[in-house]
Amino acid sequence: MALHIIFMPISVSHFLLTTIHAPNCSELVMSSKFPELPDNVVRENLFTSNTQHFSPVLQNLLTRGVYKDVHIMDMGHENADFLLQFQDEEDDKFVNWGIVDLEFRLHSVGQIVETVDWLVGYLERDMPKIPIRLFTDGIGEVRLVDLIDLHMTITHLAFRPPRAVFGTPQPTPIFVRMAHPTASGWALPDLEGFTYDPEDPSEPRDEEMLDMLRSRYGSFPKESNSERVLPRPLRKMRLGPLLTDGRYLFGEVEKILPQSDVFLRETFHDSIW
């Protein structure tokens, strides 16, 4: 059974969830635009205590799917889209749903944090962390990446930085976080694929990205007594089409990652993965 609840007011979506019982649901598609309610809007206004009969359904669906994608996109005007899509087929631009497809229009980082916290509540505590592909589009909040990676395993990260602003360039937080390990280890320790996909050219940011790759994956002194643990090697690196000098970046990345599959995307139609 497939259940699609799309383009409905939040009150109608909630009512349908309270009244429909679908224990054998094999496909769930929801699309909701929330008013500017408190941060815990999903838990308090959609999947509430009156929809507990859907908990087993969500728990089952979240264990399925070959491709598990989480997209967080800045939509402007203090709006952000949180999209979770699990499917057995690679992303198809003409099919907008898979096994589970949840799309929420939110209004703050706090709402996104609470939505992620709500989502991971359906994951079994004793099950291995599920591997996901995370695409952050115009969202530069490192705490979101850390929170998701705490409860899931980010194996692929596609990063589209917030648009560059005039003035003195500021460090890109995610690059700072990825460049050096902390006492607890490397950020994103299971990362296998990374996509750098800016929408506007910025030479300082491009160089910052290269410096991050050098710090994280470049050559280190091979002292026999070195205790430095290296991160997992990167298998794939994708570069977006709107770069200051794509060919230069491609060459530099190949020098840093000689064993990786490096690909320069010609258009936005090419897969980010």
Side-chain angles (χ1 to χ4, degrees), residues 3-273:
L3 176 61
H4 293 196
I5 304 176
I6 55 177
F7 306 122
M8 296 285 187
I10 186 65
S11 58
V12 175
S13 297
H14 177 251
F15 172 76
L16 291 173
L17 288 174
T18 61
T19 56
I20 294 174
H21 290 256
N24 297 320
C25 179
S26 60
E27 181 182 294
L28 176 63
V29 178
M30 293 196 65
S31 178
S32 294
K33 295 182 179 180
F34 294 102
E36 294 189 27
L37 294 171
D39 287 349
N40 57 354
V41 57
V42 175
R43 185 180 285 115
E44 293 297 322
N45 296 84
L46 187 60
F47 286 91
T48 67
S49 58
N50 295 328
T51 66
Q52 288 298 313
H53 52 279
F54 264 95
S55 294
V57 174
L58 278 171
Q59 287 175 334
N60 175 56
L61 294 177
L62 291 176
T63 63
R64 299 174 53 207
V66 175
Y67 300 97
K68 298 177 171 66
D69 296 335
V70 175
H71 294 186
I72 304 174
M73 292 160 278
D74 181 5
M75 304 302 294
H77 305 290
E78 298 185 351
N79 291 323
D81 270 5
F82 178 89
L83 172 63
L84 179 133
Q85 188 174 61
F86 289 7
Q87 53 196 10
D88 284 331
E89 302 291 336
E90 181 59 284
D91 181 40
D92 186 337
K93 299 182 187 306
F94 301 101
V95 178
N96 293 322
W97 50 78
I99 294 170
V100 58
D101 192 317
L102 307 178
E103 183 174 3
F104 301 143
R105 177 66 57 84
L106 302 170
H107 301 278
S108 69
V109 172
Q111 284 187 339
I112 299 174
V113 169
E114 286 290 337
T115 300
V116 172
D117 186 63
W118 162 80
L119 178 67
V120 300
Y122 289 95
L123 303 177
E124 297 290 344
R125 299 303 180 196
D126 56 349
M127 67 181 289
K129 294 199 298 182
I130 61 173
I132 68 159
R133 305 186 300 191
L134 174 64
F135 179 21
T136 62
D137 184 350
I139 303 288
E141 289 280 346
V142 174
R143 61 173 168 153
L144 290 177
V145 178
D146 286 343
L147 176 64
I148 293 171
D149 198 52
L150 176 65
H151 297 286
M152 308 176 197
T153 297
I154 299 175
T155 59
H156 295 73
L157 173 66
F159 176 61
R160 180 171 293 158
R163 287 189 172 273
V165 296
F166 293 106
T168 303
Q170 299 297 314
T172 305
I174 188 61
F175 292 158
V176 175
R177 183 77 175 86
M178 293 173 65
H180 302 285
T182 64
S184 59
W186 290 93
L188 306 176
D190 299 291
L191 194 67
E192 300 176 5
F194 178 58
T195 300
Y196 174 58
D197 191 35
E199 280 192 314
D200 57 334
S202 172
E203 185 174 345
R205 190 176 54 207
D206 293 348
E207 292 296 333
E208 187 183 6
M209 184 275 296
L210 291 175
D211 287 341
M212 179 276 291
L213 292 179
R214 293 187 185 102
S215 296
R216 185 177 175 97
Y217 301 108
S219 300
F220 299 104
K222 296 179 172 58
E223 302 94 337
S224 59
N225 61 348
S226 174
E227 296 182 356
R228 183 169 189 179
V229 178
L230 303 186
R232 173 175 294 189
L234 205 60
R235 293 196 302 107
K236 296 191 297 184
M237 176 78 192
R238 300 290 181 259
L239 296 169
L242 297 182
L243 299 169
T244 307
D245 187 342
R247 290 297 169 187
Y248 161 73
L249 281 179
F250 180 85
E252 291 300 304
V253 170
E254 280 199 318
K255 293 176 186 177
I256 302 169
L257 305 170
Q259 305 300 319
S260 301
D261 173 19
V262 183
F263 179 75
L264 181 61
R265 297 170 63 226
E266 299 292 340
T267 72
F268 283 110
H269 295 291
D270 296 326
S271 173
I272 61 173
W273 307 119

